[in-house]
Amino acid sequence: MKDSIALKQKNLPQLADKLACPTYDRSQVKAGIIHIGVGGFHRSHQAYYTDCLMNETDANEWGICGVGLRDADRKIGDILAKQDYLYTLIVKHPDGSIENRIIGSIIDFMLGCDDPLPVIDRMAQASTKIVSLTITEGGYNFNPATGEFDFKNPGVKHDLANPNHPQTAFGFLTAALKQRRAAGLPAFTIQSCDNIQHNGDMARKVLLAFARQQDAELAEWIASEVRFPNAMVDRITPVTTPADIQYLDTELGLKDEWPVTCEPFIQWVIEDNFSNGRPNWESVGAQFVPDVSPYETMKLRLLNAGHSVLGLLGSLHGHHTIDGCIADTLFATYLRRFMDFEATPVLDPVAGIDLDNYKDCLIERFGNPNIKDNLARICLESSSKLPKFLIATIKENLASGGSIEYATLVIAAWCYYSDKGTNQKGEPLEIIDEMKTELHKAATGTPGTPLSFLKVKAVFGDLARDKTFAKTYTSMVQALYENPRIAQHMQAVLFGRQ
Ligand code: CS2
């Protein structure tokens, strides 16, 4: 058997007849963008758009230098370095067809936890125009119920005491901006690509809170010079599996140690608000708009919330993937009703978007049988996702007298899941959540105190004090503890209680 070809710059000519490869001269590309958090999503989304741009136009100044801040990022850094920062994007269509393409827009990677200084210097260089972020919802370090910055975070405490040896994104950004200011260089743009409502405003708020504690004058300069565009980002990107790596080897004779798989759908709606220039991403499909809020809210409250609805109910039931849930009519119907009866009534209209089509398309995307999106990924860090994805919808429906039953059952299911750590068959669930211990502790009080789970104020705020919610939730959680077969409770919501 012929040996597989290792993914490397020098092997691209050999690979070009097997799959799409960068058509630009990568040796000419400079890193105008530094990106913190090079996970699958960055690689299927921003790096993909930028690769398209480089293939189609002259955009050499907009290459990406990846940055990892945690020791856990060492693996991706090592693999990318070995592969000249190239990787394969495996786009899986619902009909089973697959498009493979090698992405070349990332041209370097630096690990900040080993030595922060070179990373700070790189951010402070004149050639850096944008620092973009996918640091997850939790990475913004705010209390989800109050929205205030958490100064008790050990990383933040460390960075305030050691401004030249930071650990957190806030520490790195502040140190780099300080250098730029001292050198008389223009500020870079800070571009959030996380699933947070008003992600740019949030990045601005938390960075300023941090910077004010460190250097009030610098904070003022940041406030006036740095732009933080809000954006809605979208592409479903499941976790890469060994089977994906094997597929490239078997089908294409290509050795890529960490490819990325994703769905064909992609969307990026961005506010045109940049401090120091930007790539023309609109020429490859991104949309620049004056106000991104309605797009963000629609996506977070329908797609991301829809994922959480299926993720938590499905985990309890014993489903493993999102497409597995959609193949189950009860779950697909429940999701659609949640979207129609609870999420949509509290959404503002979105210019140019027919919400019915958007929802049809979401159900189709979720049902893509080739995107085996694991429920463990969906439920990961639910404590930082649910306040914005789902609880916001409940609160708005309580205020307007709308329906809350569909979403409330999900909170009751989350309580049971956090308490038992198993599905309804007693099989263990993989739960990864920064607040796991706190959630578990609160949930275990449920049998004696039905509202016990809602004591986690950072997640629920004052929700327990709302009489309508407390009543609905109490009856649901009690019924669930008596009989954990979630499908029966979903049916009760769908068809009314007997
Ligand atoms: C998911 C998102 O993490 C989650 O809960 O809903 O990762 C989702 O797949 C992306 O936002 C899709 O754009």
Side-chain angles (χ1 to χ4, degrees):
M1 219 180 91
K2 251 180 92 194
D3 278 349
S4 310
I5 303 170
L7 182 50
K8 274 194 159 301
Q9 181 68 35
K10 71 172 172 35
N11 294 339
L12 288 184
Q14 266 175 284
L15 291 165
D17 59 342
K18 297 173 186 277
L19 76 171
C21 290
T23 54
Y24 45 93
D25 178 358
R26 291 183 75 231
S27 69
Q28 297 306 308
V29 175
K30 314 254 168 324
I33 302 173
I34 307 247
H35 183 80
I36 305 181
V38 184
F41 180 71
H42 170 69
R43 296 200 285 151
S44 75
H45 193 262
Q46 183 181 352
Y48 164 81
Y49 273 109
T50 309
D51 181 72
C52 293
L53 189 67
M54 289 177 169
N55 275 321
E56 286 170 30
T57 64
D58 175 12
N60 283 344
E61 73 202 281
W62 294 112
I64 300 169
C65 168
V67 165
L69 299 183
R70 305 158 312 155
D71 198 53
D73 299 317
R74 190 177 301 279
K75 184 176 168 200
I76 185 65
D78 287 350
I79 291 177
L80 284 176
K82 211 159 102 185
Q83 301 186 166
D84 299 323
Y85 309 98
L86 295 164
Y87 62 93
T88 316
L89 190 64
I90 308 174
V91 182
K92 297 183 177 177
H93 291 263
D95 65 3
S97 58
I98 298 180
E99 282 170 273
N100 298 302
R101 155 186 189 127
I102 292 174
I103 305 289
S105 52
I106 300 182
I107 54 158
D108 200 356
F109 185 93
M110 300 173 91
L111 197 62
C113 54
D114 279 348
D115 185 0
L117 295 183
V119 176
I120 297 170
D121 288 346
R122 184 84 180 248
M123 290 179 177
Q125 272 174 19
S127 53
T128 301
K129 312 275 183 199
I130 295 175
V131 178
S132 52
L133 313 171
T134 43
I135 54 175
T136 78
E137 295 78 10
Y140 290 76
N141 189 48
F142 60 90
N143 177 316
T146 63
E148 292 310 315
F149 191 70
D150 176 11
F151 283 102
K152 290 198 228 90
N153 176 314
V156 167
K157 281 190 181 163
H158 170 277
D159 286 6
L160 286 172
N162 303 277
N164 297 323
H165 287 88
Q167 295 174 345
T168 72
F170 316 107
F172 276 89
L173 291 168
T174 309
L177 287 164
K178 184 172 184 158
Q179 271 197 32
R180 290 183 85 100
R181 180 176 178 234
L185 286 172
F188 46 67
T189 300
I190 297 181
Q191 183 173 23
S192 169
C193 301
D194 285 292
N195 284 316
I196 296 187
Q197 184 98 45
H198 313 316
N199 53 9
D201 297 346
M202 182 52 85
R204 180 174 197 273
K205 179 173 165 175
V206 292
L207 184 69
L208 288 180
F210 175 88
R212 272 190 204 111
Q213 285 294 308
Q214 193 162 84
D215 178 340
E217 260 186 56
L218 176 65
E220 258 179 58
W221 185 80
I222 296 175
S224 73
E225 300 301 316
V226 180
R227 298 289 153 81
F228 299 79
N230 291 308
M232 180 263 249
V233 294
D234 193 5
R235 189 170 221 182
I236 295 174
T237 308
V239 177
T240 306
T241 64
D244 298 319
I245 296 173
Q246 189 57 49
Y247 153 79
L248 288 177
D249 199 350
T250 314
E251 295 298 318
L252 301 178
L254 168 61
K255 220 169 206 40
D256 180 344
E257 292 184 35
W258 204 336
V260 180
T261 66
C262 63
E263 62 170 344
F265 182 94
I266 186 161
Q267 195 173 17
W268 198 5
V269 189
I270 316 167
E271 283 174 9
D272 199 353
N273 177 26
F274 287 71
S275 328
N276 197 359
R278 64 162 176 83
N280 290 326
W281 281 309
E282 66 270 44
S283 63
V284 287
Q287 242 176 300
F288 283 90
V289 298
D291 176 13
V292 88
S293 310
Y295 298 89
E296 284 177 337
T297 317
M298 169 187 79
K299 193 248 165 177
L300 297 172
R301 304 274 190 96
L302 292 170
L303 187 151
N304 298 109
H307 262 168
S308 298
V309 166
L310 296 179
L312 288 163
L313 298 175
S315 294
L316 214 51
H317 183 76
H319 284 311
H320 296 290
T321 60
I322 290 290
D323 67 294
C325 291
I326 294 293
D328 179 333
T329 313
L330 173 66
F331 280 74
T333 312
Y334 192 95
L335 173 67
R336 183 63 198 230
R337 299 266 178 93
F338 157 75
M339 295 205 258
D340 287 342
F341 297 165
E342 298 189 354
T344 310
V346 288
L347 283 181
D348 289 330
V350 193
I353 293 193
D354 173 336
L355 282 180
D356 276 326
N357 283 346
Y358 185 79
K359 288 182 275 190
D360 291 343
C361 168
L362 277 186
I363 306 249
E364 228 177 280
R365 291 170 62 194
F366 285 6
N368 184 337
N370 303 307
I371 297 289
K372 296 268 165 256
D373 202 2
N374 214 289
L375 299 190
R377 179 187 87 83
I378 299 298
C379 297
L380 188 93
E381 303 299 342
S382 285
S383 63
S384 59
K385 294 176 178 172
L386 263 57
K388 295 287 182 245
F389 297 176
L390 194 73
I391 297 169
T393 289
I394 297 179
K395 287 186 175 162
E396 287 177 28
N397 276 314
L398 286 169
S400 66
S403 160
I404 57 161
E405 293 221 324
Y406 287 85
T408 305
L409 182 63
V410 179
I411 306 291
W414 187 27
C415 171
Y416 188 90
Y417 155 109
S418 304
D419 180 357
K420 311 286 180 193
T422 65
N423 64 22
Q424 65 188 23
K425 301 171 193 159
E427 295 159 352
L429 291 166
E430 184 192 353
I431 303 181
I432 302 171
D433 198 305
E434 238 181 57
M435 296 184 71
K436 182 176 169 179
T437 313
E438 205 176 333
L439 291 165
H440 170 73
K441 206 165 148 241
T444 53
T446 305
T449 314
L451 297 178
S452 177
F453 189 51
L454 308 181
K455 281 186 197 143
V456 185
K457 285 255 187 292
V459 172
F460 297 106
D462 281 339
L463 198 56
R465 288 179 40 194
D466 185 286
K467 290 207 172 62
T468 311
F469 181 78
K471 189 163 166 247
T472 311
Y473 175 79
T474 300
S475 77
M476 283 182 174
V477 85
Q478 281 175 335
L480 193 58
Y481 271 70
E482 272 164 35
N483 164 20
R485 279 184 297 253
I486 192 70
Q488 292 184 12
H489 302 284
M490 292 164 70
Q491 267 152 359
V493 173
L494 278 169
F495 304 117
R497 286 171 193 281
Q498 302 305 312

